[in-house]
Each structure stands twice: as C-alpha cells, then as structure tokens.
Amino acid sequence: YFGTGSDCVSDPCPEFHVDDDGADFPNAEFSDIQSAVDAASDGDTILVHPGTYRNTNATNNIPVVQIGNKSITLLSAGGPDETIISGRNETSGDEQNIGIKCSGTPAGTRIDGFTISACSSDPSDQRRGGGMRLEDSSPTIANCVIRLNIGGYGAGAHLLDSAPIFENVVFSQNTAEEYNGSFGGGGAVYITTQDAGLQPRFTHCLFESNSAERNGGAILNVGTRTIFDHCIFTGNTALVTMAMLEDKA
C-alpha cells in the first residue's frame, strides 16, 4: 500500500540528504528537514533518511517544516514507518507545533512517505491545522500517515484556498477540539475556499477513527467540490455528521 522511499537507483539522484543522527547516511548535508528545504531550489529532491524529525527552534507554534513557493520533492528513504515528522516538544512532551505548512506551494511539489504525528496548531491562529496546513497551495502528498494530531479546524490537515492531491494517505485518530468557545470541525481535514473552481482530490485514502467535537468527524468541507476517489471512511465520530459535512458553493 505504501511506497518505500528511494535508494537512488535512478537518475537524477537527490540533491540533498537529511539524517537526524547520521546513522543511516553519515555524509548527509543536513540533520533537520527545514535546513534542506531552505537550501533547495526548484526541481531539487530532498531524501530524508529514517528518524524522528522535530522543530529545531526552541519556540513553540512554529511548523517543523515550512515550504513556500518552491517546486521540490521531499521523499523519505524508509517510508512512513521509519520516517516521522513530530510536533512534540522535546522538553515538555506536549504537541505544540504544526508538522508541515505549505504557503503558495505549487503543484510541482511532492511530499512522499512520512508519518506526521503528535502535532498541534497555534492557539493564537484559531488552531487551524494540526498535522498539515496548506494556504494557496497545490502539492501532492503521497504514501503518508497523518495520525494522532490535534487542532481546532482540521486536526489532520487544514486546506485554505488550496487544491492538493492526497494519494494513498491514511488519516487516523486526529481530533478537532473546541477552541475559545467555538466547536472544532473536520477531525481529519477541514477544507475552505472562496474560489469554487478549486478541487482538492483524495485518491485511495483511508479515514479511520478521527473525531470532531462538533462537525465532520472526518471531513468538514466549506465551499469546494472536493473529489474522493476510492476512499474508505470508517469509525469517524462527531456530534454532527460523523464522516463528512459539506457546504458547497
């Protein structure tokens, strides 16, 4: 079901390697993903070796990985079982950071083969997103597991004016909680836009055991015609609409 990353048997090879402890690839240029993303240019591939990757910034509420207006490939070498992006603070043990944030990220970007877990969104920003937050972005996210994240609107992923493609992605045990007196929605994914022409797509995805304190245990969709192709929904719970609530334009 999942991809297994790449061992560079094909051309081109990755421009950058990332290894958190140097055990898998001692000659890696970077030990954290963000430094590699900052160094990358359009068309570059970043190969991330097995490990758990957290925010290297001591300040909370900063995404572990931020991708802007770059067409890059972020690829794991060992697949989601071995390559984890964690929002957990190493000191407190709390979930205090978004996993991946994309802002203005084009369709040429691909994120492949990661587990994104133990992430949480910024309370000062209405807790939008947990595992991922996409703004004006259209990357492809493939062969990933997005699980055990917390947020107010879209604990697994928050999509704002975005049209990404999710392929072979598992959304599991994400929780959209109440924030500042407002009930959370979209345990797995919250989708909102003012552009009715945008069409996020989910292909061969599994939504299991996600929950929301109010609307859409799995999906809360406001304003888009999202495509779900061969997806499975099971065990999602909410006060209103356990699997999916749509308010389409």
Side-chain angles (χ1 to χ4, degrees), residues 93-118:
D94 295 331
E95 300 93 340
Q96 295 181 333
N97 301 289
I98 288 176
I100 299 178
K101 181 178 180 180
C102 296
S103 300
T105 305
T109 289
R110 184 178 180 89
I111 300 166
D112 192 330
F114 296 88
T115 287
I116 304 170
S117 185

Side-chain angles (χ1 to χ4, degrees), residues 98-101 116 119-120 129-133 146 149-150 154-157 174:
I98 288 176
I100 299 178
K101 181 178 180 180
I116 304 170
C119 301
S120 182
M132 300 189 73
R133 180 172 172 181
I146 301 175
N149 300 291
I150 300 171
N174 301 288

Side-chain angles (χ1 to χ4, degrees), residues 155-173:
H158 181 104
L159 313 183
L160 173 63
D161 294 329
S162 296
I165 297 172
F166 287 85
E167 299 176 343
N168 297 336
V169 175
V170 172
F171 294 88
S172 177
Q173 297 174 275

Side-chain angles (χ1 to χ4, degrees), residues 15 18 25 42-43 47 89 119 123 132 140 155 157 162 182 184 195 226 237:
E15 280 74 19
V18 181
F25 197 85
D42 284 347
L47 186 63
N89 184 288
C119 301
M132 300 189 73
T140 294
S162 296
S182 176
D195 182 354
T226 301
T237 59

